[in-house]
Amino acid sequence: MTVTCRMAVGSLIVVLALASRVSAQSTPPDLTGFWVNQYTPDLSRALGRQPPFTPHGAERWRTVDTAKDPTGFCLPPGPTRAFTAPFPFLLVQHQTMVAILYEYQTIWRVIYLDGRSHPADIADYADFMGHSVGRWEGNALVVETVGPNDRTWLDTAGHEHSDKLKVLERFEKDGETIKW
């Protein structure tokens, strides 16, 4: 799958290996399973370049203090960092939603598939994991997340983001892997 985070990250490809067998695929593919992801501590290395920065973001990156890592203060990791951490997760797929249960900090996330849009007042109630809605494009689950608060980092290296972050993810199952 390809992750596109406007204002922060261009695209990143991470391959997630299936740790246990899942049942036969249906249409759309069944993503349910226990998955082990590829640890990606620095998104810029995976991208081959630094993500695009605003002038303020460039200054924050230049002066990043990893001692102030939000997860070091037991704060949730946010939607991108949860996938790039070295811990497995469980995907549970239902007709109207997909739940992602992360081992990392025992946090969870819901991707709504019922056609709803994001709440109009999401900026008033920013959340660590944001609000996610998805749709199927062929065999790919395309997810848009908005409203993550600015108290998370995109990765362990310290790439920060604002509360205006919009994350676009694409989950594509290929045999016993998921491209994210």
Side-chain angles (χ1 to χ4, degrees), residues 80-152:
T80 60
R81 191 167 179 189
F83 269 117
T84 61
F87 303 100
F89 58 91
L90 179 66
L91 284 174
V92 181
Q93 185 172 331
H94 183 270
Q95 184 178 358
T96 60
M97 70 172 179
V98 172
I100 307 173
L101 311 171
Y102 299 98
E103 180 178 306
Y104 187 37
Q105 295 199 4
T106 60
I107 191 137
W108 55 274
R109 175 178 169 205
V110 173
I111 301 167
Y112 298 99
L113 303 175
D114 58 4
R116 74 180 67 192
S117 56
H118 298 295
D121 61 351
I122 189 69
D124 297 335
Y125 303 98
D127 184 294
F128 284 96
M129 299 304 276
H131 184 269
S132 301
V133 296
R135 68 186 180 286
W136 290 100
E137 289 183 2
N139 288 332
L141 175 61
V142 178
V143 179
E144 179 183 273
T145 302
V146 299
N149 66 36
D150 61 359
R151 297 174 67 194
T152 67

Side-chain angles (χ1 to χ4, degrees), residues 61-76:
W61 172 247
R62 191 183 67 71
T63 60
V64 69
D65 181 359
T66 55
K68 295 181 180 176
D69 181 340
T71 62
F73 298 96
C74 299
L75 295 176

